[in-house]
Amino acid sequence: MHVDVEIEGGEAIALRVREELARRRLSRQWLADEARVSLSTLEKALAGRRPFTLATVVRLEDALGTSLRGVPAPTVHTFAPESMGAYARPAVQWLEGSYLTLRPSFSEQGAVFAYLTEIGWDDVKGHLVFSEAGRLDAQYEQKGFVSFPNLSGAIYLVTISDGQYRLALLNRPVGGGTICGILMTLAAGQGAQLIPSAVPIALVPMAGRPEPQLGVVRHGDAAYEEYRSCVDRIAEGGFALFPV
């Protein structure tokens, strides 16, 4: 009977994997698929809730194209800067993971725009970061840092690029772990004009979900009713205010 071997240095391996994912803007779901391991197994190993086996590490190395063994762990910072809320890593680990992100489409009235958002800890910088993937308009995929001040308990996903800001202002999770709030950004107007816009946005945990439909989801699509409901309940349920 074959018995897989548990290996030492799991914490260093987990740190290296998270660093590689953040640096390359890859999702945990992508890595799980490429390495042929379940997302649940990968997330538990990265969180230190189960040991790495030799077979799993070899598959991860093949998928990432880099060695994960015998590499010194990077310096780990466990507290975010005061400007981001001075939160501690253990206090925000529940926020790490992959999310199906839903908001109204700017291009088609009534449609929902769906993509992925990955939130994880940057071990070198010492705070949470996020990155987007799976957008049809890939050139506009965002990445940035997460601010989480204790005073309000709100969650901020902030992008700063060449003096331009984009902000998602989110509440703490509600039923099922969904995080709801408002996205403040620039939408395309006439010609090259960009228009300040604010729309409801929902981040739905991907754990345990089937492969989602991404892109512009229209009435009649299989996922439309679920996605539209997630977006509509933000205003209807009082998770964000859009006064007229």
Side-chain angles (χ1 to χ4, degrees), residues 105-117:
S105 169
F106 290 127
S107 60
E108 296 188 30
Q109 185 174 4
V112 176
F113 193 57
Y115 53 95
L116 301 176
T117 299

Side-chain angles (χ1 to χ4, degrees), residues 30 73 115 126 160 184 190 230:
W30 176 89
Y115 53 95
I160 304 176
M184 288 167 276
Q190 296 181 350
C230 285

Side-chain angles (χ1 to χ4, degrees), residues 26-205:
L26 299 172
S27 70
R28 295 185 181 188
Q29 183 65 63
W30 176 89
L31 180 56
D33 292 342
E34 290 294 310
R36 303 186 307 282
V37 301
S38 71
L39 180 60
S40 174
T41 295
L42 177 61
E43 290 187 332
K44 288 178 181 177
L46 293 179
R49 297 196 300 271
R50 67 177 297 166
F52 282 96
T53 65
L54 180 58
T56 297
V57 172
V58 169
R59 290 180 179 182
L60 294 175
E61 289 177 333
D62 288 343
L64 293 169
T66 187
S67 175
L68 301 173
R69 291 166 287 176
V71 179
T75 301
V76 180
H77 302 281
T78 57
F79 286 90
E82 288 189 12
S83 60
M84 299 181 192
Y87 51 82
R89 170 76 188 283
V92 296
Q93 276 189 305
W94 57 267
L95 188 55
E96 295 184 58
S98 299
Y99 295 86
L100 170 63
T101 306
L102 308 170
R103 64 162 173 78
S105 169
F106 290 127
S107 60
E108 296 188 30
Q109 185 174 4
V112 176
F113 193 57
Y115 53 95
L116 301 176
T117 299
E118 179 81 16
I119 298 177
W121 187 268
D122 188 312
D123 296 304
V124 176
K125 295 180 179 178
H127 57 75
L128 289 171
V129 295
F130 78 93
S131 60
E132 298 175 351
R135 289 181 55 156
L136 290 178
D137 52 351
Q139 69 272 27
Y140 296 116
E141 289 179 351
Q142 304 288 318
K143 63 178 180 178
F145 64 87
V146 180
S147 181
F148 199 165
N150 184 62
L151 185 63
S152 66
I155 303 165
Y156 300 79
L157 306 187
V158 186
T159 298
I160 304 176
S161 177
D162 298 325
Q164 297 189 89
Y165 286 69
R166 176 199 187 251
L167 174 68
L169 175 54
L170 309 168
N171 293 303
R172 286 178 174 268
V174 293
T178 298
I179 306 172
C180 301
I182 300 172
L183 173 66
M184 288 167 276
T185 187
L186 295 172
Q190 296 181 350
Q193 184 182 12
L194 296 174
I195 304 172
S197 303
V199 292
I201 187 170
L203 274 67
V204 184

